[in-house]
Amino acid sequence: MKGFFQLISSTEFLQLFSRFQPLAGVQIPLAEADGRILAENVTAPEQLPPFSRSTMDGFAVRARDTFGCSESEPALLTIVGEIAMGSPGQDITLKPGQTARIWTGGALPAKADGVVMVEYTHLLDDDTVEIFRPVAPGENVIRAGEDFETGQVILERGRKLRPQDLGVLAGLGITTVPVYRQPQVAILSTGDELVPPDQTPAPGQIRDINSTTLAALVREAGGIPKQLGIIEDSFDDMLAACRQAVADADMVLLSGGSSVGRRDFTLQVLEELPSSELLAHGVAIRPGKPTILASVDNKALFGLPGHVASAIVVFHLFVRPLLRLFSGLPADHGLQQIQATTTQQIPSAIGREEYVRVQLSWQEPGQPPLATPIYGKSGLLSPLVRADGLLVIHRDSEGLDQGASARVLLFP
Ligand SMILES: Nc1nc2c(c(=O)[nH]1)N[C@H]1C(S)=C(S)[C@@H](COP(=O)(O)OP(=O)(O)OC[C@H]3O[C@@H](n4cnc5c(N)ncnc54)[C@H](O)[C@@H]3O)O[C@H]1N2
Ligand code: MOO
């Protein structure tokens, strides 16, 4: 008799990922690097900024020339020039008692170490300025290399690039970036009852939901989804489709046909693929028990449960971590987690880790949010549409009392 699950724990399931490696690195244009994961450390090839710059409009000074000055006893300085924007400040060297006009972002003249804001000055004539407030050395100046020094590691491998990171790279003239290749994920739905969303189902048929939800989840997790459509419950069709999918993608998500139904070929198909290794068939979680994982070299094939909610839950718990591993990130779900307080008793059966869809309501600041379970069969989407996240109940627990504190994984 085929198809009895050999349930492993969610922790054991995640440990299976140790056999997979991140995808290779590729060089991409800086303009396309937002949100991508760095595949190498990046060091600064030069200083940023390359020269000391003023942060204010005013007068570049030798700070000690302003010491002790005030409204009643201004310092008198001789204006020896103006630093035009984009011109090298070092063309001018300040001698004691001298100053130069400067604008925000302008390059400091040689020997200058501070800038007096124009508000605290008064022009006596074209060559002489009164200074009413002293400045300390370094005041109103960003010194050369203050952001980054030459040779400093500025961004580390495994970092998800953010807009400010791209700004640093632009500032340093790094216009191609080494990032991990994004995983290509083939998505296949199986079932004779399925029709594409743009078709009207005949009696007994339903529209394919999982292809759409899984593609969106893949994209959100940093992968590139390829929807390959619906395959009928035929062993030969499924094997051919999977062979092609494995050849073209880094990961294959098959939904439906993972359970013990008469025509559930997923397991056989995954076992039949050349060089495939079945890693798991069944995981002790609810929903999501009939989840399959197989590998073909460094490629992963998931048989996800057909029930629409189960497929989403399994994606968050297992597909997301492996997509992150392929992308160069830690092999965890990467979802935000919070502690929440239950508004009612939540029963659970011993033996399977339970992921309860919950709606959160926020109390006063500093108080944990309240979590209210939204019950519904795993073939329904409405509970997930209303839910903010998944509350986790340990597999050895019979459930939670009202007012208990529990961990909630937040949907991205
Ligand atoms: N006797 C048993 N029956 C079932 C068991 C079990 O242990 N013993 N497990 C149940 C659980 S739990 C789940 S989850 C499902 C898993 O089923 P399969 O992965 O084999 O998927 P199917 O049977 O093909 O479909 C289940 C259900 O989901 C609908 N479905 C499938 N694909 C899609 C799609 N792309 N879009 C929308 N809906 C889809 C399908 O029509 C079925 O209604 O098995 C239980 N049964
Ligand atoms: O475990 Mo199934 O995946 O309930 O829905």
Side-chain angles (χ1 to χ4, degrees), residues 285-291 305-307 309-311 314 352 377-379:
I285 60 169
R286 185 197 317 268
K289 179 179 73 172
T291 298
H307 280 322
S310 313
V314 171
R352 276 163 77 181
K377 302 175 184 77
S378 48

Side-chain angles (χ1 to χ4, degrees), residues 251-309:
M251 185 187 279
V252 181
L253 302 181
L254 252 131
S255 75
S258 60
S259 184
V260 288
R262 194 163 52 87
R263 309 202 60 194
D264 293 346
F265 293 125
T266 308
L267 194 61
Q268 286 165 271
V269 166
L270 295 186
E271 282 181 319
E272 199 66 28
L273 283 171
S275 325
S276 81
E277 202 178 327
L278 185 68
L279 304 176
H281 181 211
V283 54
I285 60 169
R286 185 197 317 268
K289 179 179 73 172
T291 298
I292 302 173
L293 176 65
S295 67
V296 172
D297 303 323
N298 195 41
K299 299 185 177 204
L301 298 100
F302 278 95
L304 301 178
H307 280 322
V308 285

Side-chain angles (χ1 to χ4, degrees), residues 132-175:
F132 301 123
R133 278 209 190 173
V135 286
E139 200 170 328
N140 299 328
V141 170
I142 292 177
R143 91 183 138 68
E146 186 170 331
D147 241 349
F148 298 102
E149 288 292 355
T150 310
Q152 186 184 339
V153 174
I154 44 175
L155 299 167
E156 292 193 3
R157 182 168 67 90
R159 181 185 180 89
K160 185 171 183 175
L161 292 169
R162 301 185 295 167
Q164 52 267 54
D165 305 329
L166 304 190
V168 174
L169 298 172
L172 289 166
I174 299 171
T175 54

